[in-house]
Amino acid sequence: MKTWVPILNGSGFGVNNLPYGVFSRRGELPRVGVAIGEQVLDLADLAAAGLLADRRWFAAGSLNAFMAAGRTVWQPTRERIITLLTDVSYRDEVEPHLSPVADVELHMPFEVADYVDFYSSREHATNLGRILRPDSEPLLPNWRHMPVGYHGRAGTVVPSGTPVVRPYGQHRGQEGPVFGPTAKLDIEAEVGFVVGTPSAYAQPVPTAGFRDHVFGFVLINDWSARDIQAWEYQPLGPFLAKSFATSISPWVVPVAALEPARVPPPEQDPEPLPYLRCDEPWGLDVTLQVDLNGHVVSRPPFAGMYWTPPQQLAHTTVNGATLHTGDLMGSGTVSGPRRDQRGSLIELTWNGDEPLELPDGTKRTFLEDGDTVRIQATAPGLDGMPIGFGDVTGTIYPAVR
Ligand code: MN
């Protein structure tokens, strides 16, 4: 597959990727586009020009209508866009609908319905268990039997670049709780998937239904206040420690683009219950990179996640709960076995005991006001061309009172 669009060497946005997003040009309403090289292809204008089947999916400020249309629409649409971008006979008609991505504003790509966050990295769960409960087994007895997760706050999922204001809350003090800005503001580098096709009540979605229901993947930074979390999380799990902001990348990478990145996940022992078994390998060879103020601090490997996205989907619906278009499911912090593969500062600095030294001479335990975090990722794609994810960034602003 070769596109007539100029693509820089090593670009993660080749014609084998074509992630969807929502963008606007100055003075225009947001609409749906796909990224190709350093440009964005305007699908609303393409449809208006008769080059795509127009059901008004694309002249919209979110991907939800298109995501709800289902795989029987996603597949031919993707094939058609590939044809338009590879067959030079379409170049004259299509080229006017490309805009440099530097000239447009990127928006929240979809309206989040429910937001679920898992805890599916064994290395991360083990590290957190050791840090938070040093006197007991790091992995709780349920962990190897199901993908543990919690329902988060959909309304505070924000697009990349949104400022993150240091939250206030209760923390444990020497003599009871103290109230103030968090002193342990942290990141969690994650990969999330978004549901397109809804499911019916009381009809669990099997692992084999993943491609029929899931539209694509984004990167997530699950901002976390560790001191608030440590005080509030037992017995019902995180609440205000994570609900203030969750950032996602602006481009949704289609499931189809990641097929070449599928790899066998780690062996699961004990064998999970039948509803969690998977006939196909659904580890994904996505390598994340976490930058703090422009310095690489970690490269978490998503391929090592113990629980896979189809298992997370099957588990979420096994009780009959419905899926809705826009449901966002985060993987949980992605951490590998090495220190430089840990996806959170609480792990990288062992709860602040081992500060990170950045190349510019500064030290960090947790985030300080003014810090900027950027998470990016790549995966192997067709023909050896990498699949890029859009970056998810955020800068910390001082607490407001
Ligand atoms: Mn998380």
Side-chain angles (χ1 to χ4, degrees):
M1 285 198 298
K2 183 131 178 58
T3 175
W4 47 261
V5 179
I7 307 274
L8 293 175
N9 229 354
S11 164
F13 295 110
V15 74
N16 58 337
N17 188 350
L18 302 178
Y20 292 93
V22 171
F23 75 100
S24 60
R25 287 178 292 254
R26 188 186 296 268
E28 292 184 359
L29 289 171
R31 73 263 312 275
V32 173
V34 296
I36 177 78
E38 303 300 305
Q39 307 195 70
V40 54
L41 179 63
D42 185 333
L43 298 190
D45 276 1
L46 266 191
L51 290 163
L52 288 175
D54 183 13
R55 302 275 193 83
R56 299 180 188 279
W57 288 311
F58 304 122
S62 88
L63 286 167
N64 288 54
F66 179 55
M67 297 198 306
R71 196 176 168 203
T72 55
V73 167
W74 310 334
Q75 226 166 1
T77 301
R78 178 172 172 80
E79 284 162 17
R80 175 66 176 164
I81 296 169
I82 289 172
T83 301
L84 293 174
L85 292 173
T86 52
D87 183 339
V88 285
S89 68
Y90 287 110
R91 181 169 183 165
D92 287 349
E93 284 177 283
V94 172
E95 205 160 26
H97 305 300
L98 289 170
S99 300
V101 81
D103 293 352
V104 305
E105 187 180 347
L106 297 175
H107 301 274
M108 187 70 189
F110 54 89
E111 289 164 33
V112 180
D114 279 308
Y115 168 49
V116 168
D117 196 24
F118 287 95
Y119 194 53
S120 289
S121 157
R122 190 161 61 102
E123 289 79 4
H124 172 73
T126 303
N127 286 338
L128 268 276
R130 287 195 179 125
I131 291 167
L132 296 175
R133 298 179 301 274
D135 300 323
S136 52
E137 268 299 303
L139 283 186
L140 294 172
N142 57 8
W143 196 89
R144 285 172 189 271
H145 295 278
M146 61 180 170
V148 168
Y150 67 96
H151 279 90
R153 191 166 182 84
T156 48
V157 178
V158 296
S160 174
T162 303
V164 174
V165 178
R166 182 177 299 276
Y168 271 76
Q170 288 194 27
H171 338 130
R172 197 195 317 267
Q174 301 288 2
E175 297 148 25
V178 294
F179 182 75
T182 176
K184 291 190 172 181
L185 187 53
D186 198 356
I187 59 161
E188 293 195 337
E190 305 191 17
V191 176
F193 64 82
V194 57
V195 169
T197 311
S199 70
Y201 176 59
Q203 292 185 24
V205 175
T207 56
F210 187 78
R211 288 186 188 86
D212 290 331
H213 287 275
V214 173
F215 180 74
F217 288 84
V218 293
L219 300 181
I220 298 179
N221 188 343
D222 176 22
W223 305 96
S224 301
R226 300 301 182 190
D227 40 10
I228 298 173
Q229 183 180 357
W231 174 236
E232 75 176 3
Y233 88 109
Q234 286 175 322
L236 286 186
F239 184 36
L240 301 181
K242 287 165 175 285
S243 64
F244 54 95
T246 307
S247 301
I248 65 167
S249 56
W251 297 111
V252 184
V253 176
V255 174
L258 287 171
E259 291 285 349
R262 286 177 36 228
V263 292
E267 196 191 333
Q268 296 184 323
D269 182 19
E271 185 176 25
L273 287 169
Y275 80 92
L276 288 171
R277 291 178 199 161
C278 230
D279 290 336
E280 292 180 285
W282 268 104
L284 287 170
D285 186 13
V286 179
T287 303
L288 283 69
Q289 178 179 310
V290 181
D291 292 7
L292 174 53
N293 298 335
H295 308 293
V296 182
V297 294
S298 178
R299 288 194 172 87
F302 190 62
M305 297 297 277
Y306 190 88
W307 296 104
T308 65
Q311 292 178 314
Q312 293 167 341
L313 188 74
H315 188 62
T316 301
T317 60
V318 73
N319 63 352
T322 47
L323 294 175
H324 294 261
T325 302
D327 283 354
L328 175 65
M329 314 237 179
S331 59
T333 308
V334 184
S335 288
R338 301 205 317 255
R339 186 185 185 204
D340 63 358
Q341 295 177 322
R342 297 174 185 166
S344 67
L345 290 172
I346 191 173
E347 293 168 271
L348 283 163
T349 70
W350 214 254
N351 204 16
D353 289 346
E354 302 167 14
L356 272 182
E357 277 192 50
L358 301 179
D360 62 5
T362 57
K363 283 188 182 181
R364 283 293 180 282
T365 51
F366 292 93
L367 295 172
E368 297 188 4
D369 294 345
D371 282 352
T372 295
V373 176
R374 175 182 302 270
I375 303 170
Q376 49 196 308
T378 60
L382 265 188
D383 305 330
M385 288 165 66
I387 297 292
F389 285 69
D391 298 359
V392 55
T393 69
T395 296
I396 307 306
Y397 282 57
V400 178
R401 269 296 178 279

